[in-house]
Amino acid sequence: MKYSKYLPYIFLGIVLVYGFKSDIARDQFQKMKTLTQVIRLINDNYVEDVDMNNVLEGAIIGLLDKLDPHSSYISTEQFEAINEQFAGEFEGIGIEFSILDGYITVISPIPGTPSDRAGLQTGDKIVRINDVSAYKITQKDVLQKLRGPKDSLVKVTISRPGFDENFDVTLIRDKIPIVSVLAAFMIDEQTGYIKVNRFSKTTAKEVKESLSSLEGKGMQQLLLDLRNNGGGMMDQAISIVDMFISSKDTILFTKGKIPGSSEVYRAKKNRNDKNYPIIVLINRGSASASEIVSGALQDLDRGLIVGETSFGKGLVQRQYELLDGSAARITIARYYTPSGRLIQRPYKDIGDYYEDIGKDNREPTDSTLADKPEFITKGGRIVYGGGGISPDIYSEQNLKVNKSTGTVLFHQDRLTFKFAEELKNDVQNKYETFNDFTNNYFLNNKKKTKFFKWLEKQEIEFKEEELEEHWSDIQNRILSNVASSIWGKEYLFKQLLKTDKQAQEALDNFIKARELISSFNSPPQTSE
């Protein structure tokens, strides 16, 4: 047994460190002795041969699970693969996940990946993989079963909050982009758009380069899209906020009990700091570093936040490498916004912690706000604590679709992409530029009928009246794929914005974002 041989030394260490000076130390030592006894009983008496390494890893995982939702154990096999998420690339389905109540729980589908295209949502639980139960699956097995060569298939069975029955989704594995900026373009003559899907080692550099490029095209205001961005490296988030703060204000502070865990991160004045309005888009899948950016810009009255209340992950993990090549991520501190708001949501019931994300409407109401602590922004506005960042302007995402529409938009065979290929030649022959295409091309009744007949040939079951109900979304998804195929991936996002309710709401509120800048130019706000 790889781990059990170290147990006597662990016990001895506990005695040397704690001695028997307190009842707590005695209780801890007694529990360790009990654990040793259980391990020996299993090893000596269990009816079958036991992989004790696997059993002990399970014990370690269970130990960390008792702490909080984000402290975790990383096995030797997982260590290299998990580090890939922040540098390089890998092939899989593209989800940020956590194992909750024994099941893989989707924290956020990575935009532009198979999971995103298939319509997986925050809060979904993967209960089966290729018709095999995924209950009590380990992180090691998750990576083995969900990762795989590009274009290979994996079927997952989804349990979704609010749905009476589970349903199957077949995903086509793909290369998962490690680049952070998925798109950067001009929406109109003065508005730039940047889509950031994670915070990795190069995120601040990518954003800086994108800003420079857009400024060269005449950008005078920015829409920063952090929806479904599950977070990542804290320093990258701080660097991005600092690009927009022309004072020495506090961007973030942390509180912990060990040396170095309680820090205050302040902005540094720079002649290149940006002075134009910024609006940040967030939703329930925006977590961690995304909340650092949105929370700081909101508290400092430097940017307007539009969308839905964010995830609420405000715990700082430090990764400790262990002797056998594995690692433990231990929560060492909590994040706080400049006004003093704790980003982290309560997690007494870990099951409810993720189930809450799947609720139809988790936005604060007048009655719930009465129980939340109040904080004051730099400009004197009231904001509320209690976990997550609540937007200045609430706008619901277009998530609810009927069965037929869901089948068309999220089918494993990428139906809108395939039909777009049928239209590609026609579009290329008619339009030289994307602007001409997007302003003049649409699917008239003849083309709509052609699409319905095409679906029938694909042996897709659907009801025309259900597709008619969401035709604008279906049409725009098809046209987005046409644009991407002809002019490049950024034009996929550019076309999608046309029916993006949250983005359109943001574009209508840049006057308010501009007004915030005047209140921002007041003496710095600092926190200790």
Side-chain angles (χ1 to χ4, degrees):
M1 295 186 297
K2 179 168 66 173
Y3 294 101
S4 57
K5 64 182 180 181
Y6 297 118
L7 289 175
Y9 301 104
I10 295 172
F11 302 151
L12 177 60
I14 290 174
V15 173
L16 291 174
V17 172
Y18 293 104
F20 291 106
K21 296 179 181 179
S22 70
D23 290 340
I24 294 176
R26 290 191 190 93
D27 289 344
Q28 289 175 343
F29 184 70
Q30 187 60 47
K31 290 294 184 185
M32 293 294 285
K33 287 175 64 179
T34 301
L35 176 61
T36 306
Q37 185 179 11
V38 171
I39 291 169
R40 286 175 177 164
L41 287 171
I42 292 172
N43 193 48
D44 294 342
N45 302 309
Y46 191 71
V47 65
E48 298 175 358
D49 290 337
V50 177
D51 182 348
M52 289 305 296
N53 288 332
N54 189 46
V55 169
L56 289 168
E57 279 197 354
I60 296 169
I61 292 169
L63 172 68
L64 294 173
D65 281 348
K66 284 291 185 180
L67 300 177
D68 61 68
H70 304 295
S71 292
S72 61
Y73 171 73
I74 305 169
S75 69
T76 307
E77 293 81 4
Q78 295 170 308
F79 190 70
E80 182 178 352
I82 287 178
N83 285 340
E84 285 177 359
Q85 295 181 20
F86 299 103
E89 67 177 16
F90 61 93
E91 295 177 345
I93 67 169
I95 57 170
E96 304 280 355
F97 71 91
S98 181
I99 297 176
L100 171 68
D101 294 335
Y103 289 111
I104 306 162
T105 303
V106 177
I107 305 303
S108 176
I110 299 172
T113 64
S115 64
D116 182 42
R117 292 193 292 266
L120 296 195
Q121 299 177 11
T122 297
D124 283 350
K125 293 183 184 296
I126 298 177
V127 297
R128 299 177 73 83
I129 301 174
N130 289 330
D131 294 322
V132 177
S133 174
Y135 183 55
K136 291 194 174 178
I137 192 170
T138 65
Q139 287 197 4
K140 174 182 175 181
D141 287 338
V142 171
L143 297 181
Q144 287 180 344
K145 293 185 177 183
L146 294 184
R147 286 192 176 190
K150 184 178 183 295
D151 295 327
S152 61
L153 302 180
V154 58
K155 183 171 78 171
V156 295
T157 303
I158 301 297
S159 172
R160 177 168 293 171
F163 281 55
D164 294 332
E165 296 182 357
N166 298 340
F167 57 93
D168 293 335
V169 177
T170 300
L171 303 167
I172 303 172
R173 295 184 179 97
D174 203 347
K175 288 187 178 296
I176 307 305
I178 302 302
V179 294
S180 303
V181 175
L182 290 185
F185 53 81
M186 295 295 292
I187 297 176
D188 53 41
E189 291 184 355
Q190 63 176 350
T191 310
Y193 171 88
I194 296 178
K195 172 71 173 177
V196 181
N197 78 326
R198 67 172 63 218
F199 290 83
S200 60
K201 290 181 180 178
T202 62
T203 301
K205 177 176 179 290
E206 291 178 49
V207 169
K208 184 177 181 180
E209 291 172 350
S210 296
L211 290 173
S212 178
S213 174
L214 295 174
E215 288 164 0
K217 297 175 182 177
M219 179 176 68
Q220 299 174 37
Q221 54 192 30
L222 173 67
L223 181 58
L224 179 62
D225 192 344
L226 299 181
R227 290 174 296 179
N228 289 328
N229 183 324
M233 295 184 169
M234 180 180 75
D235 64 321
Q236 299 295 302
I238 292 170
S239 295
I240 290 171
V241 174
D242 200 6
M243 296 177 192
F244 297 91
I245 307 300
S246 57
S247 61
K248 295 182 180 180
D249 283 286
T250 295
I251 293 175
L252 175 79
F253 64 97
T254 63
K255 290 183 179 180
K257 70 177 184 180
I258 64 172
S261 62
S262 297
E263 298 282 353
V264 179
Y265 300 89
R266 293 189 174 91
K268 300 173 184 177
K269 293 191 69 172
N270 188 297
R271 62 187 179 88
N272 295 318
D273 287 333
K274 315 303 178 185
N275 60 6
Y276 41 75
I278 177 172
I279 293 181
V280 182
L281 287 173
I282 61 172
N283 65 3
R284 61 188 68 191
S286 305
S288 188
S290 293
E291 294 171 299
I292 291 174
V293 173
S294 53
L297 293 175
Q298 185 180 55
D299 277 7
L300 297 176
D301 294 300
R302 180 60 184 85
L304 199 67
I305 313 302
V306 175
E308 302 170 299
T309 296
S310 62
F311 184 88
K313 179 187 180 299
L315 300 179
V316 185
Q317 283 77 48
R318 179 175 292 174
Q319 187 164 290
Y320 296 91
E321 294 191 31
L322 306 177
L323 294 175
D324 66 344
S326 61
R329 285 183 181 169
I330 308 294
T331 296
I332 62 165
R334 296 182 176 90
Y335 291 127
Y336 295 84
T337 67
S339 68
R341 287 185 290 169
L342 174 63
I343 295 174
Q344 181 62 45
R345 278 188 295 124
Y347 51 84
K348 288 183 179 179
D349 187 318
I350 304 298
D352 289 344
Y353 181 69
Y354 286 99
E355 290 288 344
D356 173 69
I357 294 297
K359 291 180 180 177
D360 285 345
N361 189 348
R362 47 192 294 271
E363 301 306 311
T365 62
D366 290 342
S367 59
T368 58
L369 285 177
D371 298 326
K372 290 181 176 290
E374 289 187 1
F375 296 85
I376 305 299
T377 69
K378 182 178 179 179
R381 295 186 301 152
I382 295 176
V383 290
Y384 295 90
I389 303 300
S390 293
D392 298 305
I393 299 172
Y394 170 68
S395 179
E396 187 177 14
Q397 228 170 348
N398 303 328
L399 291 176
K400 294 181 179 179
V401 295
N402 55 49
K403 183 177 180 180
S404 296
T405 302
T407 297
V408 169
L409 293 181
F410 309 127
H411 197 278
Q412 68 185 57
D413 291 334
R414 298 181 64 181
L415 299 173
T416 56
F417 174 83
K418 284 185 176 180
F419 189 72
E421 291 299 303
E422 306 249 336
L423 304 175
K424 181 177 177 180
N425 289 337
D426 180 44
V427 172
Q428 283 181 310
N429 292 333
K430 288 183 178 179
Y431 305 101
E432 292 185 4
T433 68
F434 169 77
N435 285 338
D436 285 343
F437 160 73
T438 192
N439 291 328
N440 297 290
Y441 190 84
F442 64 97
L443 301 183
N444 55 27
N445 287 333
K446 184 178 179 180
K447 291 187 176 74
K448 185 193 299 183
T449 301
K450 178 183 176 181
F451 178 61
F452 292 163
K453 290 181 177 179
W454 180 85
L455 289 176
E456 290 173 353
K457 289 181 180 179
Q458 307 298 310
E459 298 182 348
I460 303 300
E461 295 183 5
F462 66 95
K463 295 179 180 178
E464 282 193 23
E465 61 270 22
E466 290 187 349
L467 297 186
E468 291 281 3
E469 183 183 352
H470 295 282
W471 178 245
S472 62
D473 292 320
I474 296 170
Q475 174 180 239
N476 198 48
R477 184 68 67 90
I478 294 170
L479 299 186
S480 297
N481 280 296
V482 172
S484 177
S485 181
I486 297 174
W487 291 285
K489 189 63 175 289
E490 286 194 346
Y491 290 92
L492 170 77
F493 291 97
K494 195 165 189 176
Q495 182 68 29
L496 286 173
L497 289 182
K498 296 190 72 171
T499 57
D500 187 328
K501 179 182 176 183
Q502 292 175 330
Q504 295 304 318
E505 185 82 36
L507 293 173
D508 290 339
N509 281 281
F510 266 106
I511 293 177
K512 291 183 179 179
R514 194 173 295 277
E515 290 171 351
L516 279 176
I517 295 179
S518 59
S519 63
F520 170 74
N521 294 320
S522 56
Q525 173 176 318
T526 61
S527 300
E528 299 294 345

